[in-house]
Amino acid sequence: MSTDASHEVRLAADTAASRAPRNTDDAGQQPGHKGGKRRKGLSERNRPLWMLIPGGALMIIIIVLPLLLGIYMSVLNLDQYTLRKWISAPLIGAENFVEAVTASPLLHAVWLSVSYSFLAMVVTLPLGIAAAVATQNAFKGRAVIRSIFLIPYVLPSFVVATVWRTMLQPGGIVDEALGTVGIHVGLWLNGPQTFWTLVLVQIWASWPFIYLLALSGLQSVDHEVHEASALDGALWWNKLRYVVFPYLKGPLALAFLIGMLHHINNFTLPFVLFGVPAPSDVEVLPILTYVTSFQSFRFGLSAAMAFISLVLIAIPLFVYLRAVKLDDAETPGGKK
């Protein structure tokens, strides 16, 4: 046999051997071998879902079930007479919601909550930014100043409200201090000044939160950008406007939303500061819900108020999350 013929025979044999089916699975193992690649890949793919079970069960118990229970209570005529057998309480449908909107001070409470929250955030934003800019660069005693700035934020709301309630009493330290310069405001905790008292205390308690987020945003500013603006001879205001503020846009938007939602839901501060029943000028949404439930014993009506407040809070949150999603999709690395 010639050399060319033998070479062709060997080539044909090798090709046939490579095309012959192997008696193994996709992982290159024998058919009866356990723990193959296909089964292993299936378990790894399902493993994150199994890890979500403890947290999901906790969320269902703590969040979903009370929410469903509150929605069910909102359609019942539930008061002090039917509370003992609340499961068999009369079903009245949407009457509690209609009464909450038309015959109760709910809309007034919503207006008070939104207005005082907005005013507090409008004042705390520039305060927090100014404090963050002032403590950004290193100087002697910066750590002490930063710690002092955080005192209102780390104190519990109960302590803050108690301290301010003591200071704002008639003849208290605030009246004495203002009286020395000839200013006599009047009653702080009862009367026409109560709304502004709530705004003032809320500003003092919440501005360090804006300060923290603004300071974190300033840390993300590239040092080369500061050097370039300094070399170009940019004034401090132009530097803040065109260099610093663009980096603070995202953190401040998040801080504004979180602050608004927190102020609207804040129950401890007005409850301790003014007591119950609170003056009508500070009967915000959480206080009204509490009074309706535990003083008027209209549990069905208060559940309807709580559900309405939940919807009102969810609207701006949904708008913000939608805006963040759209902004992320427009970025070069975002998913479209």
Side-chain angles (χ1 to χ4, degrees), residues 251-274:
L252 290 182
L254 179 62
F256 189 87
L257 176 67
I258 295 177
M260 283 285 296
L261 298 181
H262 176 265
H263 299 344
I264 292 174
N265 280 326
N266 194 354
F267 170 78
T268 305
L269 187 65
F271 178 79
V272 179
L273 190 61
F274 301 102

Side-chain angles (χ1 to χ4, degrees), residues 40-184:
K40 182 179 179 181
L42 182 62
S43 63
E44 289 180 352
R45 186 169 62 251
N46 292 336
R47 188 177 301 164
L49 298 180
W50 288 97
M51 295 175 65
L52 291 176
I53 290 179
L58 192 62
M59 290 184 62
I60 291 175
I61 295 174
I62 297 179
I63 298 178
V64 178
L65 291 181
L67 177 62
L68 296 178
L69 180 61
I71 295 175
Y72 177 69
M73 290 174 58
S74 65
V75 297
L76 299 177
N77 185 15
L78 194 61
D79 51 19
Q80 70 268 33
Y81 303 107
T82 59
L83 181 62
R84 185 175 180 180
K85 298 180 179 180
W86 64 273
I87 298 179
S88 59
L91 185 67
I92 59 176
E95 291 185 12
N96 284 328
F97 294 92
V98 175
E99 182 180 356
V101 175
T102 58
S104 72
L106 176 65
L107 297 180
H108 178 66
V110 171
W111 166 250
L112 286 177
S113 299
V114 174
S115 59
Y116 110 84
S117 302
F118 182 78
L119 289 175
M121 291 307 303
V122 167
V123 178
T124 54
L125 275 177
L127 284 177
I129 296 173
V133 172
T135 59
Q136 178 190 9
N137 298 324
F139 59 89
K140 187 176 181 180
R142 184 180 66 169
V144 178
I145 299 299
R146 285 182 171 182
S147 301
I148 294 175
F149 283 172
L150 293 178
I151 289 177
Y153 185 68
V154 299
L155 291 178
S157 297
F158 179 84
V159 177
V160 172
T162 303
V163 171
W164 277 96
R165 181 182 177 90
T166 303
M167 294 192 303
L168 294 175
Q169 290 288 341
I173 185 173
V174 175
D175 285 346
E176 292 291 337
L178 294 177
T180 56
V181 294
I183 300 177
H184 301 281

